[in-house]
Amino acid sequence: MLYVVITYLWLALLLYLLLGGADFGAGIIELFTTEPNRPQTRRISYQAIGPVWEANHMWLIIAIVILFVGFPGIYATMSIHLHIPLAIMLLGIIARGTAFAFRNYDAVHDNMQKIYNRVFVYSSFITPLFLGIIAGSAVSGRIDTQADTFLSAYIFSWLNTFSFAIGLFTVSLCGFIAAIYLIGEATDESERKRFVRKARQMNIAAVISGALVFIFAAADDIPLAGWVFGNPVGLTAVALAGISLVLLWLLIHRGRARTLRLLAGFQITMILLTVTYKHYPNIVILKNGYLSLLSNRGDDKTIHALGVALLTGSVFILPALVYLIYSFQKRDIQEH
Amino acid sequence: MDDFIAARSQMALSLGFHIVFSCIGMVMPFFMAVAHFYWLKTKDPVYRNITKAWSKGVAIFFATGAVSGTVLSFELGLLWPNFMKHAGPIFGMPFSLEGTAFFIEAIALGFFLYGWNKFNPWFHWFTGLVVGISGILSGILVVAANSWMNSPAGFDYVNGRYVNIDPIKAMFNQAWFEQALHMSIAAFAATGFAVAGVHALMIVRRKNPRFHYMAFRIAIVFAVIAAILQPLSGDLSAKDVARRQPAKLAAMEADFKTEKFAPLIIGGVPDTATKQVDYAIKLPGMLSFMTSDDFNSTVKGLDQIPKEDQPPVTVTHYAFQVMVGFGMLMLGLALLYLVALAWKRKWFGKSWFLKLFALATPMGFIAVEAGWTVTEVGRQPWIIQGVMRTADAVTPMPGIVYSFYVFTAVYFSLSLIVVFLLYRQIKMVPVVYDI
Ligand code: HDD
Ligand code: HEM
Ligand code: HEM
């Protein structure tokens, strides 16, 4: 059962990165779209994410619940030492979620829309930035559980170049997924071209921020290159990600929307696999030690019950979710 | 304000904010399902308009409820890491099941809000109902987690360690049923009176009276039934509290003295120095009767509880009075409505009658907030009754005060915006749904 739970934790993270990421990305794309094109981008992304909007963000809650029920020590340590970035991320989640709902459901369309839009696009940037910072800090080895000053215990645990680079990398990935996703939703050729262009820009941003991640890792003595390239699984995953990226760019003008989405999704999956594979089960790396999923787990009975709950939950959730996505895609295609 | 108080205040603020949205999220889907049902049956477009108008409001509330809930699941750790470290694996069961319930709710909501004219109408109707059912289920599950804090079960506490953990036993602790029942009914009473009140006000103001009258009639039925059941369920809760948390009961009642034939103390000003309650109405023997169905039973007072284990008396006592007081007012309104229904149909058109209901708009929510204050403040100084003190659970990080200020500002502005949006929604009814 322990492995069932760990698999679910990983899947929840992956799905949050993919679905929640596409959702953040739509806002990021809007942020980097010129004013005249924004209303159209807004309309398309609303049509695309409206129905699944709530569901996309459930994956974060599932991950957090798995963490605090199954691996409470890890949840508690992260909550203490990453309090500040977590709180900022939460403020981002509040701002984004409410702005999204307000702009779509306000009965009157007036200048308030400008405020909602602004809040929405900025928080769409900040939230994944801090998600990335939190993820980066978890593996950066800067969390010091024995720290005795405020700065070293609560600030330098996350405020460092490596974590920020990971944050920017996450933002670029979200933008990239969203752009690829929206290519399939575009209603005419010029829109499609615009999203292709956005995908290219986001891809370049991801490459640059990815390079920064490696540079800062090297500067900070974080053995990132070793994790990624030092083992066959990581190496294969990186290679596959690279191949799928090349394929994606070859197919971008001719390929079916679904193929492009699958390739992009596959690529993200490989990236997550690479970075998590090598240092599993030590998902949090402290200044002086590790927090291992295996040794920080809750009682056996708890893990068992949690596993059963997740498995039974999936029986209900997955078919319903698939049907939701399927039926809205089918209807949209019919309507066009 | 010190960091400990700030952490408690931030938790209270976040929960107090969230509960409003969760009540609406649990109950409104049922109101919509009724209106939607009438629309499908009678094809009277007013019912369709009511359903649509409500669903726009619900979408706003739902999103706000979902983000504030997400914040809570992090805040438990951000503010009470030491509590979660030990309690997480014990009381986490309902949370992991709740994940499923939320998920179903979010999926069904997607179908419902975006599914107009896209699906078989009865399938569409059904998805709306599923939103409500899974909402109630998640409410019951979270309350089961909270009731575990009041009535810890499913583990042994030996030498500071938590052993023999049984998450299923923890979930079905002694308090879960009474609390979940009371909470679910409260959600119906609060949302019912709030919705009915707003529509009543609109009828008085003669804005689309037919629309608002039909909406009023749907909401008020739920409100009336809930308001009648609520005191009965509250009585069950009180007996339960007397059994498991005598200190909380004593604080609720400002009952300083242990005695037989204990009086029920209503209102008054508790004075913790003199251990007297001034200006109160005392009903002799009633407290003994209420807590055990026996006038001569002994009720434990605060004098038998060590000073360091006593909850704040004044807050708990007042909060309890407020809850029961508003509960009685709502019961009165419910009976009045039944009288009108049975004998005085013409009251429905009278402005004084509608104004009474308009006045009742916030009552249920005030009672809900007060009730939670009783439950939570009455549990102090414990975060897990009798096992862990709240002060030992708080985060070691200094500066929580600033976090509290920021979240207060955020929640305050969000509340303003939600009210503003709701106002606009109602104002637009004649424009969007004029028939
Ligand atoms: C519409 C709202 C509402 C109304 C009218 C009432 N209550 Fe209530 N009450 C709640 C809403 C509420 C609540 C907010 O939902 C609480 C907080 C925790 C819980 O489970 O329910 C609660 C808690 C609560 C508790 C504490 C339970 C605990 O700590 O576990 C008691 C003893 C009562 N109630 C008793 C009553 C009585 C005797 C009422 C008589 C009229 C009453 N309530 C009306
Ligand atoms: C939504 C309705 C709820 C409201 C309005 C509410 C209200 C409050 C209040 C007023 C406090 C502060 C008490 C004090 O410090 O004096 C508090 C504390 C707390 N509540 Fe609740 N509560 C609610 C439900 C829950 C639930 C469902 C849980 C957990 C499953 C929970 C967990 C906590 C925790 C962990 C604390 C902090 C520790 C403590 O003060 O004991 N609450 N809540
Ligand atoms: C008595 C207290 C509570 C009740 C009755 C309650 C009920 C609900 C309901 C019905 C929803 C659905 C959203 C909506 O309709 O607006 C919701 C959302 C949520 N609640 Fe609460 N809740 C309570 C306290 C808590 C606490 C203490 C937590 C966290 C520890 C929490 C976590 C969440 C989360 C994560 C969501 C978002 C789910 C989504 O996206 O749909 N809730 N809650």
Side-chain angles (χ1 to χ4, degrees):
Chain A
M1 257 328 163
L2 177 62
Y3 292 98
V4 172
V5 172
I6 292 178
T7 311
Y8 268 90
L9 179 60
W10 193 81
L11 281 178
L13 283 179
L14 175 68
L15 287 167
Y16 188 58
L17 191 60
L18 285 175
L19 301 170
D23 202 307
F24 288 125
I28 297 169
I29 303 254
E30 193 179 320
L31 176 64
F32 291 110
T33 298
T34 49
E35 194 52 53
N37 290 329
R38 276 193 184 176
Q40 213 172 7
T41 305
R42 209 170 287 148
R43 184 181 52 74
I44 296 174
S45 58
Y46 172 68
Q47 273 174 3
I49 60 182
V52 283
W53 189 81
E54 289 280 352
N56 283 348
H57 291 270
M58 287 307 302
W59 298 109
L60 178 64
I61 297 170
I62 302 279
I64 218 65
V65 168
I66 295 181
L67 214 54
F68 78 55
V69 178
F71 311 97
I74 298 178
Y75 173 80
T77 309
M78 289 183 66
S79 300
I80 294 174
H81 292 280
L82 303 177
H83 188 117
I84 295 169
L86 280 166
I88 297 175
M89 182 196 75
L90 288 179
L91 293 174
I93 288 180
I94 299 182
R96 208 186 105 87
T98 48
F100 180 84
F102 294 168
R103 78 176 186 178
N104 292 314
Y105 290 103
D106 192 345
V108 186
H109 278 250
D110 56 8
N111 276 336
M112 286 296 285
Q113 287 288 334
K114 282 202 186 121
I115 304 179
Y116 307 142
N117 287 334
R118 197 159 304 154
V119 172
F120 179 74
V121 294
Y122 286 115
S123 50
S124 293
F125 184 87
I126 295 191
T127 314
L129 177 71
F130 274 84
L131 266 170
I133 290 178
I134 292 158
S137 313
V139 297
S140 68
R142 293 299 187 82
I143 297 177
D144 183 357
T145 48
Q146 273 125 43
D148 44 15
T149 67
F150 182 80
L151 286 178
S152 57
Y154 304 110
I155 302 286
F156 296 138
S157 49
W158 57 276
L159 190 68
N160 54 61
T161 48
F162 173 73
S163 300
F164 258 86
I166 299 238
L168 288 176
F169 184 62
T170 314
V171 170
S172 327
L173 284 188
C174 292
F176 178 68
I177 309 172
I180 296 291
Y181 185 80
L182 290 176
I183 290 176
E185 302 287 318
T187 43
D188 63 38
E189 201 44 38
S190 75
E191 252 170 28
R192 189 184 156 97
K193 284 222 175 82
R194 208 171 66 237
F195 289 129
V196 171
R197 210 162 49 240
K198 285 282 167 278
R200 187 168 307 129
Q201 290 161 358
M202 290 298 163
N203 195 343
I204 294 171
V207 170
I208 297 175
S209 50
L212 283 181
V213 170
F214 276 97
I215 294 169
F216 291 135
D220 284 358
D221 290 329
I222 297 165
L224 182 67
W227 294 338
V228 174
F229 303 114
N231 65 85
V233 175
L235 213 53
T236 321
V238 176
L240 288 175
I243 295 173
S244 62
L245 185 64
V246 172
L247 267 180
L248 189 136
W249 283 113
L250 287 176
L251 290 175
I252 194 108
H253 289 296
R254 291 171 289 121
R256 302 228 324 271
R258 184 166 308 156
T259 322
L260 298 180
R261 285 177 190 172
L262 280 178
L263 284 170
F266 178 74
Q267 202 193 336
I268 305 294
T269 314
M270 287 303 118
I271 293 178
L272 189 68
L273 181 66
T274 313
V275 293
T276 46
Y277 178 74
K278 183 56 211 241
H279 67 262
Y280 168 84
N282 303 321
I283 60 164
V284 176
I285 300 173
L286 306 172
K287 186 156 196 161
N288 29 28
Y290 297 99
L291 290 182
S292 158
L293 281 173
L294 300 180
S295 57
N296 280 284
R297 63 172 194 262
D299 207 80
D300 283 343
K301 264 202 168 151
T302 305
I303 295 284
H304 187 81
L306 179 59
V308 173
L310 290 168
L311 289 171
T312 17
S314 319
V315 176
F316 292 101
I317 292 167
L318 291 181
L321 189 59
V322 169
Y323 184 57
L324 177 72
I325 296 172
Y326 166 79
S327 46
F328 280 97
Q329 285 204 343
K330 196 183 68 184
R331 311 278 150 164
D332 285 346
I333 290 163
Q334 280 172 355
E335 276 170 19
H336 290 160
Chain B
M1 184 185 268
D2 71 12
D3 282 330
F4 176 50
I5 300 292
R8 286 166 60 180
S9 311
Q10 184 175 331
M11 195 70 203
L13 173 78
S14 311
L15 286 156
F17 184 82
H18 181 68
I19 192 67
V20 174
F21 299 90
S22 24
C23 285
I24 290 167
M26 286 190 276
V27 172
M28 280 309 284
F30 292 102
F31 293 4
M32 291 192 289
V34 173
H36 198 172
F37 179 85
Y38 283 131
W39 152 241
L40 293 175
K41 276 283 173 218
T42 64
K43 294 291 166 198
D44 180 343
V46 174
Y47 282 119
R48 183 199 55 208
N49 293 345
I50 292 176
T51 318
K52 286 205 172 176
W54 276 346
S55 70
K56 290 222 170 128
V58 163
I60 293 172
F61 278 103
F62 202 93
T64 317
V67 293
S68 57
T70 309
V71 171
L72 277 172
S73 47
F74 283 90
E75 259 176 352
L76 283 177
L78 290 178
L79 301 173
W80 316 102
N82 203 28
F83 163 64
M84 288 308 283
K85 192 169 167 175
H86 300 293
I90 312 174
F91 87 150
M93 196 60 205
F95 284 112
S96 40
L97 295 172
E98 195 196 8
T100 304
F102 281 153
F103 227 124
I104 303 279
E105 194 178 355
I107 294 173
L109 191 76
F111 275 114
F112 181 73
L113 289 181
Y114 297 85
W116 286 96
N117 305 329
K118 289 193 179 181
F119 298 101
N120 171 314
W122 286 106
F123 173 75
H124 183 225
W125 177 80
F126 175 71
T127 59
L129 196 64
V130 172
V131 178
I133 294 171
S134 43
I136 295 277
L137 276 180
S138 24
I140 292 176
L141 288 165
V142 202
V143 172
N146 177 272
S147 63
W148 176 84
M149 295 162 58
N150 287 322
S151 171
F155 68 98
D156 293 316
Y157 186 62
V158 192
N159 302 329
R161 296 190 43 235
Y162 298 75
V163 294
N164 298 331
I165 290 172
D166 184 342
I168 310 289
K169 257 199 203 139
M171 183 161 94
F172 295 109
N173 57 71
Q174 287 196 352
W176 86 272
F177 178 75
E178 282 83 356
Q179 268 196 255
L181 179 73
H182 198 59
M183 176 71 241
S184 308
I185 302 175
F188 278 95
T191 314
F193 274 104
V195 173
V198 169
H199 290 292
L201 185 67
M202 290 297 133
I203 307 173
V204 176
R205 294 205 179 150
R206 308 233 165 272
K207 303 256 170 68
N208 287 43
R210 197 169 118 80
F211 175 98
H212 289 296
Y213 183 67
M214 283 152 91
F216 173 81
R217 287 293 295 267
I218 295 175
I220 198 69
V221 172
F222 287 92
V224 162
I225 297 174
I228 294 172
L229 294 178
Q230 191 65 340
L232 301 175
S233 140
D235 179 52
L236 283 182
S237 289
K239 289 191 170 50
D240 190 45
V241 171
R243 191 162 42 80
R244 64 170 200 260
Q245 289 172 302
K248 184 191 270 183
L249 187 85
M252 274 156 54
E253 284 299 323
D255 178 13
F256 289 104
K257 263 201 331 282
T258 303
E259 57 194 333
K260 276 185 151 180
F261 199 64
L264 185 68
I265 303 177
I266 299 177
V269 182
D271 184 337
T272 36
T274 60
K275 308 211 179 308
Q276 292 294 329
V277 188
D278 306 323
Y279 319 112
I281 306 169
K282 296 190 179 165
L283 305 179
M286 277 310 285
L287 184 61
S288 293
F289 181 73
M290 264 183 58
T291 50
S292 64
D293 290 330
D294 172 6
F295 282 105
N296 272 317
S297 65
T298 312
V299 179
K300 220 183 200 182
L302 288 163
D303 53 356
Q304 285 212 352
I305 292 152
K307 188 91 192 107
E308 70 276 11
D309 290 349
Q310 290 183 8
V313 177
T314 320
V315 176
T316 318
H317 180 67
Y318 282 137
F320 188 61
Q321 308 306 308
V322 168
M323 171 176 63
V324 176
F326 280 110
M328 290 306 159
L329 281 176
M330 290 191 290
L331 178 65
L333 279 175
L335 298 177
L336 187 75
Y337 182 83
L338 291 181
V339 171
L341 199 63
W343 299 290
K344 303 274 184 187
R345 286 266 171 177
K346 61 176 190 295
W347 284 359
F348 287 127
K350 294 264 191 287
S351 134
W352 64 265
F353 184 78
L354 293 163
K355 277 185 185 153
L356 275 181
F357 284 92
L359 268 181
T361 307
M363 282 185 187
F365 282 103
I366 299 175
V368 165
E369 300 285 354
W372 277 103
T373 310
V374 174
T375 305
E376 304 287 300
V377 177
R379 187 183 59 240
Q380 303 305 318
W382 303 101
I383 190 167
I384 310 173
Q385 179 72 41
V387 177
M388 183 191 275
R389 280 174 196 273
T390 313
D392 298 331
V394 71
T395 178
M397 190 177 103
I400 298 297
V401 196
Y402 300 102
S403 156
F404 170 61
Y405 293 149
V406 172
F407 277 92
T408 308
V410 168
Y411 282 136
F412 184 72
S413 22
L414 271 185
S415 316
L416 287 183
I417 302 177
V418 168
V419 171
F420 168 73
L421 289 184
L422 214 58
Y423 168 75
R424 302 231 276 202
Q425 209 82 46
I426 295 164
K427 204 179 69 180
M428 290 303 280
V429 164
V431 183
V432 184
Y433 305 110
D434 214 5
I435 35 151

